[in-house]
Amino acid sequence: MTLAFVSGILTLVLLAELAVAGGTYTLSDVIVGEDFYDAFNFEAIPDPTNGRVHVSNYVDSATAQRLGLTVATANSFIMRADDTTVLSPTGPGRNSVRIRSNNEYTTHVAVFDMNHMPEGCGTWPAVWETLEADWPDSGEIDIVEGVNNMSPNQVHLHTGPNCSIPSSINQLGSVLTTDCNAAVNYNSGCGSALSYAPNSFGPAFNAAGGGWYALERTDNYISVWFWDRNSWLTPADVRLGSPIVDTSLWGTPAAYFPNTDCDLATHFGPNNIIINLTFCGDWAGSAAVYSASGCPSTCVDYVNNNPQAFEAAYFQFASIRIYE
């Protein structure tokens, strides 16, 4: 038995152990309904991805509530885009919302109980974490992201240089790219597609009644799980919103990022949670991407002229639970 063979076996064993290592975390924050208004800041900023949203800006909290773009009830929070206005090609874009958590997080677990996510040609919804003032050096974790109804969900990291992931990982998803450096490969980052779960994104996610996304971030690994609403594999502590969760019992993650080829402790700093919906822009509006999705017309023309197509372009959260 050669030394190289033994080394390879040990590496695989280490990766397998890390992928199921997990830990125990205690509930630190529950965000439900009206709590979203206190827990998040509405970012009325230019869209960094050049999307077709209002004057290249997302709307503020007062405007969002006045226009019905956000609605809070006792057990849900909805944030959506305008679905009534035909846009002038030379005028403002479509009203939409981008929110950022007031709290920053390092080592933690975040569980997103989602009943619905935005769908429609031209849409680009995302649930992610980063520190905007220090991007990409404080890292970025894309938990939910996709465009133009194209399933499955994609989970990515974006970092500074000298961070990558192995091409073979103990996870359920399929590795797409391995270099996390945001400065190369058109900022594609490193990550995976949840190809095993076509109902992880868009219309299929909504038809299934939604589900749960969960993130565990540590200095040794970052894991993301997905369970659809009716999955018998959903852990009881996730389904019940327990005060304590044990990620070692959650099974193989959908996407897994070990620290074997990336010092996560130095590539990730305190991050905020960000939730947003934009249209077109650098990814959804790319001519090649938009055409490949089977969507009609051009992205901008479609978004401008078909407001009724965005009646289902909304997030509905039952809750977000943070554990530390």
Side-chain angles (χ1 to χ4, degrees):
M1 185 177 294
T2 68
L3 181 60
F5 180 78
V6 171
S7 176
I9 292 296
L10 290 175
T11 299
L12 290 174
V13 170
L14 175 60
L15 287 175
E17 288 178 346
L18 285 173
V20 296
T24 301
Y25 298 80
T26 301
L27 186 67
S28 61
D29 203 0
V30 180
I31 306 169
V32 179
E34 293 278 351
D35 298 336
F36 276 79
Y37 292 119
D38 295 324
F40 285 87
N41 171 56
F42 282 64
E43 294 193 285
I45 62 172
D47 180 13
T49 64
N50 304 304
R52 186 74 172 116
V53 296
H54 178 56
V55 200
S56 296
N57 284 310
Y58 294 97
V59 301
D60 60 29
S61 177
T63 303
Q65 293 180 65
R66 177 173 56 82
L67 297 178
L69 302 185
T70 58
V71 178
T73 69
N75 56 13
S76 75
F77 179 77
I78 292 173
M79 53 179 282
R80 66 183 315 125
D82 168 79
D83 62 359
T84 62
T85 308
V86 174
L87 307 178
S88 165
T90 58
R94 190 160 300 286
N95 287 340
S96 192
V97 179
R98 174 180 171 123
I99 60 175
R100 182 191 67 206
S101 67
N102 293 320
N103 291 336
E104 298 174 351
Y105 305 100
T106 52
T107 297
H108 70 291
V109 167
V111 178
F112 302 86
D113 185 349
M114 300 171 59
N115 297 322
H116 193 279
M117 68 172 65
E119 61 177 82
C121 286
T123 57
W124 180 356
V127 178
W128 49 302
E129 294 191 356
T130 195
L131 184 65
E132 292 167 313
D134 193 36
W135 184 93
D137 292 334
S138 284
E140 173 184 335
I141 308 170
D142 300 325
I143 304 160
V144 177
E145 188 174 31
V147 297
N148 302 326
N149 288 344
M150 296 174 68
S151 186
N153 183 53
Q154 296 188 23
V155 180
H156 284 87
L157 304 185
H158 302 261
T159 68
N162 303 313
C163 177
S164 62
I165 60 172
S167 57
S168 179
I169 310 176
N170 185 17
Q171 61 173 27
L172 298 178
S174 304
V175 174
L176 297 174
T177 52
T178 58
D179 192 340
C180 309
N181 185 359
V184 302
N185 301 324
Y186 304 99
N187 186 27
S188 61
C190 61
S192 300
L194 276 56
S195 49
Y196 72 97
N199 61 351
S200 59
F201 186 80
F205 176 89
N206 298 331
W212 293 267
Y213 273 95
L215 163 73
E216 180 184 18
R217 177 187 158 190
T218 75
D219 286 344
N220 295 319
Y221 58 87
I222 294 171
S223 295
V224 173
W225 290 264
F226 165 68
W227 304 278
D228 70 65
R229 185 65 63 197
N230 298 310
S231 174
W232 63 272
L233 294 173
T234 307
D237 49 8
V238 170
R239 187 180 293 276
L240 298 175
S242 300
I244 296 176
V245 295
D246 185 351
T247 60
S248 69
L249 304 177
W250 288 4
T252 304
Y256 179 68
F257 305 90
N259 67 351
T260 51
D261 299 307
C262 179
D263 184 358
L264 296 175
T266 59
H267 280 89
F268 283 83
N271 277 193
N272 302 101
I273 297 170
I274 299 178
I275 305 168
N276 68 279
L277 168 61
T278 191
F279 294 90
C280 301
D282 298 336
W283 186 13
S286 162
V289 172
Y290 188 78
S291 175
S293 70
C295 288
S297 185
T298 66
C299 189
V300 171
D301 285 347
Y302 184 80
V303 169
N304 284 350
N305 296 311
N306 297 278
Q308 72 283 353
F310 305 113
E311 291 179 359
Y314 66 90
F315 286 103
Q316 183 178 27
F317 289 91
S319 67
I320 300 175
R321 284 178 161 79
I322 307 298
Y323 298 82
E324 295 177 284

